[in-house]
Amino acid sequence: MSFCDRLRLDGRAALVTGAATGIGQATAETLAGQGASPLWLVDLDEGGLGEVTDALKAGGTDVRAYVADASNYRAMSETLADGEAIELIANAAGNVSSSRFLELGLPEWQATLDSHTKSCFVTSRLLAPSMVERGRGSIVNVASVAGKRGGGFLGTSAYSAAKAAVNGLTKCVARELAPHGIRVNSVNPGMTNTRRTELLRADPDVWKRCLAAVPLARIAQPREVAATILWLLSDAASYVTGETINVDGGVSME
């Protein structure tokens, strides 16, 4: 079997959270393009989710879309009640938190940790038992270089803490589930062309400094992050678990 064949996901049920925009949307499109079916999509953005769903269905993908908060255990329990066949999870849900530490309030702190970290726990905890029964599965959590570097242009304290927690959760769950044939990895995107970069683009001087901090001198497109998520989910990465891969244009190279 060729490398490209091992990237195929034909007939494998997958879940993508945060699927309405950005990296989540690009991941949903990428997995659909590689044959994942059925494809479960979750997001709170009903309009955006509907657009993504309609486009994928028009391309022949079996899509099951749900407007839900991926961090809400009860809501996700109901959403995934008949999702025992799901063996691939891409956790890309997450809010936009921008308050600096001295302005950060507890509600925003908690909401950010729930959105980015708790959501990874909820989906993985709900679906891991059925993966254990089958003896296979793959989970990829979307973290951030902000969680590794302690912030950045947009990586303020709540966001950085949440993403650092995602990477820690990834390693622990990977270690515990490895004996059951389940792989768990994460990706650390750098600046990516999503809603989070709109504030930076608004100021030309700030944007110039942002690009100057990236060795490749540009930001990522969501599909570039999605390509790494695809690889980690697929059998092409069958001996990779507990890893965090930087997709950041060289920002955090050591």
Side-chain angles (χ1 to χ4, degrees):
M1 182 181 293
S2 70
F3 175 80
C4 290
D5 290 336
R6 291 174 67 81
L7 287 173
R8 294 292 303 176
L9 306 174
D10 299 292
R12 301 178 68 178
L15 165 69
V16 180
T17 68
T21 60
I23 293 172
Q25 177 184 350
T27 299
E29 294 168 348
T30 299
L31 300 190
Q34 291 297 314
S37 179
L39 185 58
W40 300 60
L41 306 182
V42 173
D43 203 293
L44 281 170
D45 179 356
E46 183 174 5
L49 185 62
E51 292 178 4
V52 173
T53 299
D54 289 344
L56 293 180
K57 284 185 175 180
T61 301
D62 178 3
V63 180
R64 303 175 187 184
Y66 299 89
V67 178
D69 180 352
S71 70
N72 186 311
Y73 195 91
R74 176 177 294 182
M76 291 301 290
S77 294
E78 296 173 356
T79 296
L80 302 174
D82 59 346
E84 295 87 356
I86 295 174
E87 61 176 279
L88 307 174
I89 304 174
N91 286 312
N95 66 4
V96 177
S97 171
S98 59
S99 295
R100 294 186 176 278
F101 182 71
L102 292 179
E103 289 79 43
L104 180 65
L106 185 58
E108 183 181 3
W109 165 269
Q110 190 61 60
T112 303
L113 265 67
D114 285 351
S115 182
H116 292 277
T117 310
K118 185 181 177 183
S119 60
C120 293
F121 166 77
V122 167
T123 57
S124 301
R125 180 62 184 84
L126 286 170
L127 295 175
S130 59
M131 294 182 182
V132 169
E133 290 182 4
R134 287 192 303 273
R136 65 178 295 178
S138 183
I139 302 170
V140 176
N141 300 317
V142 177
S144 170
V145 294
K148 180 178 181 179
R149 302 177 67 238
F153 288 102
L154 279 173
T156 47
S157 53
Y159 180 79
S160 297
K163 291 306 193 182
V166 168
N167 283 329
L169 178 67
T170 296
K171 292 180 182 295
C172 184
V173 177
R175 193 179 301 278
E176 293 191 23
L177 296 184
H180 303 286
I182 301 166
R183 299 183 299 105
V184 187
N185 295 285
S186 60
V187 294
N188 276 343
M191 285 195 302
T192 306
N193 189 18
T194 67
R195 291 177 299 178
R196 289 187 58 80
T197 61
E198 291 176 2
L199 292 174
L200 299 177
R201 290 178 181 273
D203 187 325
D205 290 334
V206 170
W207 187 241
K208 184 177 180 180
R209 292 200 303 273
C210 289
L211 295 181
V214 182
L216 285 182
R218 65 176 180 85
I219 66 172
Q221 296 303 314
R223 65 178 181 274
E224 294 178 292
V225 181
T228 303
I229 294 172
L230 165 65
W231 176 69
L232 288 170
L233 286 175
S234 76
D235 289 342
S238 58
Y239 202 58
V240 180
T241 196
E243 280 297 322
T244 298
I245 297 182
N246 301 320
V247 189
D248 64 356
V251 167
S252 55
M253 71 172 73
E254 296 177 350

